[in-house]
Amino acid sequence: MRLLNFGSLNIDKVYRVPHFVRPGETISSESFQCFPGGKGLNQSVAAARAGCQVYHAGTVGQDGEFLLEVLRESGVDIRYVRKGSGVTGHALIQVADSGENSIILFGGSNYENDSDYVDQVLEQFGEGDLLMLQNEMNDLDQVLKKGALKGMKIMLNPSPMDEKLASMDLSCVSWLMLNETEGKAMTGEEVPEQILNVLTERYPGMEVILTLGEEGCVYGFQKLRIKQKAYAVKAVDTTAAGDTFTGYFAAAAAEGKPVDEALSLAARASAIAVTREGASVSIPWRREIM
Ligand code: RIB
């Protein structure tokens, strides 16, 4: 199964702060670093470092050449990435001493995709291939529909959640990878089991993977539930923990691994990622996990 990730590429501007800045407050940061990131790029890097054949598509700005480097070095095929005319999407990230983060996004070139470009890329893929998507680019609904029409299996990470996505028909999605906040927005429920019940009843053909932070995650398909614990580690920076989990799970799914093995691999990868600073640069290679 080939994996095409049509996704965002961001420049992450990361500020280490004692606490997240409050309304009306000005604080000094303890350090500043610039990393390659974006949910799309991070998930491609994770899936490729897990050993999957990954193709990335998306639009990068003139200032985003170093983002392509990390994709290349990780073994991602970037022939379908194109350069836009505007600035690359970027993220302003505060990382607090607790390791938690808070993020402001600017979409930039991630919003320059057009239907001709989408068609040209999707033309190269078809039945049996896996299409991975997040919500950091324009026309997500179009790409989703076109991928489904081509018979691709779709994995969606509905992040960042917005009203349009919360009310979208996702019946063509095979795997939905989401966290509790996104689950609440899609179902109105707060309790993880209820979120899973609503989604698995609404979409009987969908496998739902609900991540629960330090509590691990729960997998749901129809009435089946599988729990996976999170590994206890000292978190330095949780940025891209979810992307690492998603990318590793996608790689395992593409390999045809049983769900419990895929969840365990993804949990171990994301545990390592949170012990390191940065987004894509924190993602481990499979040999480190083994
Ligand atoms: O999930 C982490 C990512 O979210 C960061 O790399 C940032 O770019 C934002 O997209």
Side-chain angles (χ1 to χ4, degrees):
M1 192 183 251
R2 295 181 305 166
L3 192 163
L4 167 66
N5 186 359
F6 216 122
S8 58
L9 305 110
N10 286 339
I11 298 174
D12 286 356
K13 299 175 183 197
V14 183
Y15 300 84
R16 192 98 210 174
V17 288
H19 60 262
F20 298 150
V21 68
R22 301 182 186 108
E25 187 185 29
T26 302
I27 55 172
S28 292
S29 58
E30 292 157 4
S31 68
F32 166 70
Q33 283 173 292
C34 204
F35 292 115
K39 292 184 198 309
L41 178 147
N42 298 337
Q43 291 175 20
S44 280
V45 167
R49 289 187 182 180
C52 185
Q53 183 186 4
V54 181
Y55 298 81
H56 192 95
T59 310
V60 74
Q62 296 298 324
D63 52 343
E65 186 56 41
F66 79 103
L67 304 184
L68 305 185
E69 267 317 298
V70 73
L71 287 169
R72 268 192 220 107
E73 282 164 9
S74 304
V76 178
D77 190 316
I78 57 166
R79 76 181 77 177
Y80 303 118
V81 174
R82 68 171 190 174
K83 277 229 165 106
S85 52
V87 295
T88 300
H90 63 259
L92 201 154
I93 306 182
Q94 300 178 62
V95 178
D97 286 344
S98 61
E100 290 172 304
N101 63 54
S102 100
I103 303 180
I104 300 175
L105 284 174
F106 175 71
S109 51
N110 295 310
Y111 283 74
E112 285 182 36
N113 302 308
D114 57 58
S115 62
D116 284 349
Y117 169 53
V118 171
D119 292 344
Q120 278 161 23
V121 175
L122 291 182
E123 213 166 85
Q124 309 303 320
F125 295 85
E127 207 152 318
D129 291 330
L130 197 164
L131 175 61
M132 198 175 194
L133 298 166
Q134 314 77 30
N135 192 26
E136 282 187 346
M137 63 173 197
N138 63 313
D139 294 343
L140 170 70
D141 50 345
Q142 293 307 313
V143 184
L144 194 103
K145 276 185 201 139
K146 286 178 176 176
L149 277 174
K150 291 198 66 85
M152 297 178 80
K153 291 197 89 174
I154 295 167
M155 181 175 288
L156 174 67
N157 170 218
S159 182
M161 179 56 71
D162 57 23
E163 274 175 29
K164 187 175 175 195
L165 181 47
S167 58
M168 216 185 263
D169 175 13
L170 299 180
S171 41
C172 60
V173 172
S174 298
W175 294 276
L176 185 70
M177 317 280 300
L178 76 175
N179 64 26
E180 287 168 279
T181 314
E182 291 147 5
K184 185 180 172 198
M186 291 180 73
T187 63
E189 300 289 344
E190 295 202 3
V191 179
E193 190 52 37
Q194 292 306 331
I195 294 173
L196 277 181
N197 289 346
V198 172
L199 289 172
T200 50
E201 272 164 33
R202 191 184 294 166
Y203 301 115
M206 179 192 275
E207 298 178 55
V208 183
I209 297 93
L210 182 65
T211 57
L212 308 168
E214 287 176 6
E215 299 302 315
C217 71
V218 202
Y219 166 95
F221 176 64
Q222 298 174 0
K223 298 282 175 216
L224 173 69
R225 301 288 179 266
I226 300 175
K227 286 192 177 157
Q228 170 65 52
K229 66 171 184 164
Y231 291 89
V233 288
K234 166 122 185 54
V236 171
D237 180 353
T238 56
T239 314
D243 298 333
T244 305
F245 188 94
T246 299
Y248 261 83
F249 184 87
E255 261 178 52
K257 280 212 175 296
V259 173
D260 55 343
E261 279 183 43
L263 294 173
S264 163
L265 186 71
R268 282 180 280 154
S270 55
I272 294 177
V274 302
T275 64
R276 301 169 177 174
E277 290 188 329
S280 59
V281 292
S282 73
I283 299 169
W285 292 80
R286 191 156 179 164
R287 58 179 177 270
E288 297 178 73
I289 293 159
M290 302 332 278

